């Protein structure tokens, strides 16, 4: 059972991140520790080789932060992960030649 704080429940509705997506991020996301919390985020590399790889453009950047006791503290879209500057730069270089 997924425990969510009041804050995370409000933010998930505001940001369009449902329970299914939260569970997917927790199952497939990249894990890192940050100031005592645990952060899970969807990166292209974390989706590689999974059935969800075909949805990478839609899922990229989904982030879930858990407290030490396992409750969801907040959810968000990490915009630094959603944009693909390296990909865009490559496309500009190949089209200008």
């Amino acid at each position: 059972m997924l425990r969510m704080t009041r804050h995370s429940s409000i933010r998930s509705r505001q940001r369009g991140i449902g329970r299914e997506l939260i569970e997917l991020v927790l199952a497939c996301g990249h894990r890192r520790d940050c100031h005592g919390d645990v952060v899970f985020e969807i990166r292209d590399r974390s989706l590689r080789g999974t059935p969800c790889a075909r949805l990478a453009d839609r899922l990229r950047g989904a982030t879930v932060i858990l407290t030490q006791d396992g409750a969801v503290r907040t959810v968000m879209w990490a915009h630094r992960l959603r944009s693909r500057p390296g990909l865009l730069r490559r496309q500009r270089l190949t089209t200008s030649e």
Side-chain angles (χ1 to χ4, degrees), residues 47-59:
L47 289 178
R48 197 174 297 153
T50 67
C52 300
R54 60 186 174 83
L55 301 172
D57 288 334
R58 184 170 176 264
L59 301 176

Side-chain angles (χ1 to χ4, degrees), residues 44-91:
D44 287 343
R45 194 172 287 178
S46 62
L47 289 178
R48 197 174 297 153
T50 67
C52 300
R54 60 186 174 83
L55 301 172
D57 288 334
R58 184 170 176 264
L59 301 176
R60 182 183 301 116
T63 304
V64 176
I65 300 176
L66 298 180
T67 61
Q68 292 177 347
D69 63 346
V72 177
R73 181 181 301 264
T74 193
V75 297
M76 63 184 173
W77 292 104
H79 294 287
R80 65 182 174 78
L81 295 175
R82 287 199 58 85
S83 64
R84 301 283 310 272
L87 179 65
L88 296 176
R89 188 177 322 114
R90 271 180 273 156
Q91 287 174 349

Side-chain angles (χ1 to χ4, degrees), residues 4-94:
M4 296 182 69
T5 62
R6 183 173 183 266
H7 173 81
S8 66
S9 179
I10 293 168
R11 292 295 179 251
S12 69
R13 284 192 305 270
Q14 288 175 341
R15 296 172 178 160
I17 300 175
R19 282 189 179 269
E20 298 84 20
L21 181 54
I22 292 172
E23 291 173 2
L24 179 77
V25 172
L26 295 176
C28 298
H30 173 76
R31 179 197 165 137
R32 64 183 171 91
D33 295 322
C34 183
H35 302 288
D37 290 336
V38 181
V39 178
F40 288 88
E41 54 194 9
I42 294 289
R43 300 177 176 178
D44 287 343
R45 194 172 287 178
S46 62
L47 289 178
R48 197 174 297 153
T50 67
C52 300
R54 60 186 174 83
L55 301 172
D57 288 334
R58 184 170 176 264
L59 301 176
R60 182 183 301 116
T63 304
V64 176
I65 300 176
L66 298 180
T67 61
Q68 292 177 347
D69 63 346
V72 177
R73 181 181 301 264
T74 193
V75 297
M76 63 184 173
W77 292 104
H79 294 287
R80 65 182 174 78
L81 295 175
R82 287 199 58 85
S83 64
R84 301 283 310 272
L87 179 65
L88 296 176
R89 188 177 322 114
R90 271 180 273 156
Q91 287 174 349
R92 279 196 310 264
L93 290 175
T94 58

